[in-house]
Amino acid sequence: MQIYLILLLNVIVGAVGNVFFRIGASKLPVFEAKNLLSDTGRMLSSPYVLAGILLLALNFPLYSFLIQKMELAVAFPLVTSLTFLVVVLFSFFYFKESLSAVQYLGIGVLALGLWLLAR
């Protein structure tokens, strides 16, 4: 049971970290390769980007625990796919992003694959 709680926490922390990155990035000017250093400094001054970094850093020990307790061939796809699904939900409800019918089908196939993998 503990491993499922860690898995869920890992997924939520990773998804929210990515959402914070998106919020922070949307408030910044477009990055250019020639201004990489100054743009990186500006990015790191965003509280949302810093929150995303902090959450993804917190994700490191959670994921480390998971791959100690689970096979990597199961843990990695589960974490990645579940995080993807949570980010899609955030994107739809918070950012009001839309999905096409093909993308909905892809999410359904992904969910089926997760169910099969977890068995």
Side-chain angles (χ1 to χ4, degrees):
M1 185 61 160
Q2 179 187 23
I3 197 161
Y4 294 112
L5 292 174
I6 299 293
L7 175 67
L8 181 64
L9 186 59
N10 180 265
V11 167
I12 291 170
V13 168
V16 173
N18 279 285
V19 167
F20 278 141
F21 274 135
R22 165 69 163 80
I23 293 169
S26 69
K27 297 178 182 295
L28 296 171
V30 176
F31 289 102
E32 295 182 26
K34 65 181 181 178
N35 299 329
L36 184 60
L37 288 177
S38 62
D39 286 347
T40 301
R42 199 174 14 203
M43 177 181 62
L44 292 174
S45 70
S46 164
Y48 289 106
V49 171
L50 291 175
I53 291 170
L54 180 66
L55 287 170
L56 292 178
L58 174 62
N59 230 12
F60 172 73
L62 295 171
Y63 186 65
S64 296
F65 174 83
L66 286 175
I67 60 174
Q68 286 177 344
K69 303 292 183 185
M70 299 173 73
E71 293 181 12
L72 182 60
V74 174
F76 179 76
L78 274 177
V79 168
T80 304
S81 299
L82 288 171
T83 302
F84 170 78
L85 290 174
V86 172
V87 168
V88 167
L89 290 173
F90 266 110
S91 298
F92 183 79
F93 289 108
Y94 183 78
F95 297 119
K96 307 295 183 210
E97 296 177 0
S98 61
L99 298 172
S100 69
V102 173
Q103 290 169 317
Y104 280 114
L105 179 63
I107 290 169
V109 170
L110 181 64
L112 175 63
L114 282 171
W115 180 76
L116 292 170
L117 182 65
R119 297 185 62 70

